[in-house]
Amino acid sequence: MKPLKGNITHFNITYLLQNLQSPHLNHLTMNFMLHLLSAALSSFLLTTIIVITQCRYNFNEIRKALIAHLHERSSSDASNKGRPFVVAFFHPYCSSGGGGERVLWKMIEALGQLKEEAMKDYDNGGSSDKKRRRKSSVFMSRVEDAPRGHCRNLTVVIYTVDEPSDSYGQDLRKHIQERFSITIPRSLNIHYIHLHNQKHLLQKSKRWTLLAESWGTVRLAWCALNQLTPHVFVDTTGCAFTFLVAKVLAGCKVGAYVHYPTISTDMLQLVWERRPSYNNNTQISTNPIITYAKLIYYTIFAILYGLVGSLADLTMVNSTWTKEHIAHLWRFAGSIHVVFPPVDTASLSKLSLNNRENMILSIGQFRPEKDHVLQLKAFKLLLDKNDGKMMRDNKLKLILIGSCRGEDDEERVDNLQKLSRELGIQDHVEFVLNQPYPVLKDYLSRASVGLHTMWNEHFGIGVVEMMAAGLVTVAHDSGGPKSDIIARPWDLQEFVDGGKRPTGCLAGTAEEYADAIYTVIKGGAEKEVAAIRQSGRNASERFSDEVFMKSLKETVLTSSLLLR
């Protein structure tokens, strides 16, 4: 029997090999593979639906428990009758002092004002609402009055990686008041979800940076929403991949304020042209194989970024430049609204335009993309103009003021100081680190020229601050400064008087920066310089706190974000 079995096995294998090229067998194999693929796909889709449904149920239970808890706490307050409406902000470093944090707290201040207005309407028996409805159309009544009604029961939550303390909330409100001159209405309750134990998820990755860091934010958002699930999830840090957890799994409405796209067509072009930069080092840019591999990686990431970004219910961006890039990537996101970030132009506009010192001021965190190296090289060329005698005799100084986020930034400052010594300009350069706003304001009141060198800056709050303070600002000829802020640059050859006066200067190379600053500092163009100071200050009013608050409220109230 054993030999017979072996012969049968040999016969079967031989038969299969002989008929492997048979059309009939190929057809059967193809049908089998298609059925197998269809079954696998169906199983995957069914499993996905089950997982999403279970997640939605779990997150909804968390939300119900939160609403019940808040409703019980507010039951003694007559003005807070009704179901609480929770808006959560994903901003892990909410206590920092940068421009992104100022936007965050201004948004929260705006929500506080909306809540107070809604409470006031309620106390007046709804008379204001009735008048508003009589004056507005049925459509505007639906899209505006309904969100206003929810604002009466508004509660704000912030997801942060800061360490908790008994006085954290009180200390943070005080810090925000001192740093940004922002006062949050007391009627607005703010709760903090401390994710300090998951802070490591935000650590920088040296390899596959975009994917690794995006995955870290997804995991952090999962931890955050499992602790507290809101009605509305608002990302103000550019972490679009968190929308997967918030929208798909937790069932939240999603809002986004985008300061800059995580990836852009400019980044792809930079890699394609093999230009070295802070995020495309020479090891990559000089190797064609690695360059093409990085292009594929960037393209795949851009597709994923576009898909998750399109999940947002409301998208706000900080500049025309950012809008163009986000619209190109988030193709299914619907309308995208430009809401310029708030700048304290009111107090800065009160500074005198006269008696300015021969001081060049640079404002910005000491990050690689800010390109402080270009500032030092341009300043070196400036000092060397006309043999350098006039500039050195005038005691010209370059002040670099900004904050350091950690050891990497501190090391970067050390390298910049070393470079200033190598260039022989250390006696004319001063670094001012981690100082409060009054110190910055003092320098803004004395400086004559503002300097900005970041390529494709998404907006440029520092540029607006310098213009509002009366500095003749020389910004990079790209990004937000070019598209929105310095809309009428001075070309140094012709000065247009009248209603179209220049509002500043644009430059791209060290030589262009040196030429522009030299024209302002050397003298002989006092009338033109004075006109630019005033026109720059006037132009900065487009980015004031008041304009931001009005624009934000209109955008939010006319959207579906605050509708249940």
Side-chain angles (χ1 to χ4, degrees), residues 125-263:
S127 59
S128 297
D129 282 338
K130 292 176 182 177
K131 291 178 181 178
R132 190 187 306 114
R133 278 191 285 269
R134 282 198 298 267
K135 293 180 180 179
S136 60
S137 65
V138 174
F139 172 75
M140 286 304 297
S141 176
R142 180 178 67 83
V143 300
E144 183 173 339
D145 291 346
R148 283 184 183 274
H150 293 156
C151 288
R152 181 167 56 86
N153 304 306
L154 191 65
T155 295
V156 166
V157 171
I158 301 177
Y159 301 118
T160 175
V161 294
D162 292 343
E163 294 277 351
S165 67
D166 293 339
S167 60
Y168 178 83
Q170 182 179 353
D171 293 342
L172 185 53
R173 283 182 183 250
K174 182 180 179 182
H175 168 68
I176 297 307
Q177 168 63 36
E178 293 175 351
R179 178 66 181 87
F180 300 125
S181 299
I182 294 175
T183 303
I184 307 299
R186 288 292 174 183
S187 61
L188 181 65
N189 295 321
I190 303 178
H191 302 273
Y192 304 94
I193 301 300
H194 295 275
L195 305 168
H196 53 289
N197 292 327
Q198 289 80 34
K199 188 175 181 179
H200 63 279
L201 296 175
L202 297 179
Q203 289 179 349
K204 297 292 183 181
S205 174
K206 294 182 179 180
R207 293 288 183 271
W208 304 97
T209 305
L210 294 175
L211 282 175
E213 292 181 1
S214 296
W215 175 241
T217 62
V218 169
R219 294 171 63 191
L220 188 66
W222 173 266
C223 296
L225 288 162
N226 267 287
Q227 291 194 42
L228 189 150
T229 307
H231 295 95
V232 178
F233 178 93
V234 182
D235 168 57
T236 51
T237 57
C239 300
F241 282 82
T242 60
F243 302 171
L244 276 173
V245 183
K247 183 71 176 285
V248 178
L249 301 182
C252 304
K253 287 197 172 183
V254 172
Y257 187 94
V258 184
H259 294 276
Y260 56 92
T262 304
I263 192 169

Side-chain angles (χ1 to χ4, degrees), residues 83-89 107-118 141-157 188 230-234 251-256 312-316 337 549 551-564:
R83 295 172 57 197
F85 191 82
V86 183
V87 177
F89 289 87
M107 291 178 75
I108 294 174
E109 182 186 16
L111 291 179
Q113 290 180 4
L114 288 174
K115 179 173 184 176
E116 290 198 330
E117 292 169 5
S141 176
R142 180 178 67 83
V143 300
E144 183 173 339
D145 291 346
R148 283 184 183 274
H150 293 156
C151 288
R152 181 167 56 86
N153 304 306
L154 191 65
T155 295
V156 166
V157 171
L188 181 65
H231 295 95
V232 178
F233 178 93
V234 182
C252 304
K253 287 197 172 183
V254 172
D313 296 284
L314 173 62
T315 304
M316 296 174 284
H337 307 268
M549 298 291 272
S551 179
L552 178 72
K553 290 178 182 179
E554 289 178 352
T555 302
V556 170
L557 291 176
T558 55
S559 73
S560 63
L561 196 66
L562 298 184
L563 292 173
R564 293 187 188 274

Side-chain angles (χ1 to χ4, degrees), residues 348 351 356-364 372 375 379 396-402 428 430-432 439-453 462-463 465-467 469-475 517 521:
L348 294 175
L351 300 177
R356 295 298 179 116
E357 301 176 17
N358 283 330
M359 179 191 298
I360 303 168
L361 184 64
S362 166
I363 302 174
H372 290 92
Q375 297 182 9
F379 189 60
L396 187 65
K397 289 191 72 77
L398 171 62
I399 309 296
L400 293 90
I401 185 168
H428 297 267
E430 181 180 345
F431 292 84
V432 182
V439 175
L440 169 61
K441 195 172 180 179
D442 176 65
Y443 278 105
L444 286 168
S445 69
R446 296 188 286 128
S448 180
V449 176
L451 182 59
H452 164 275
T453 51
V463 175
E465 288 178 331
M466 292 186 289
M467 289 169 58
L471 283 68
V472 177
T473 305
V474 186
I517 298 172
I521 295 291

Side-chain angles (χ1 to χ4, degrees), residues 416-428:
L416 290 171
Q417 291 173 334
K418 180 181 178 182
L419 178 60
S420 69
R421 291 192 294 271
E422 293 174 354
L423 295 174
I425 59 176
Q426 69 274 13
D427 294 336
H428 297 267

Side-chain angles (χ1 to χ4, degrees), residues 495-507:
F495 184 85
V496 180
D497 208 341
K500 296 184 178 180
R501 289 178 174 177
T503 54
C505 303
L506 295 174

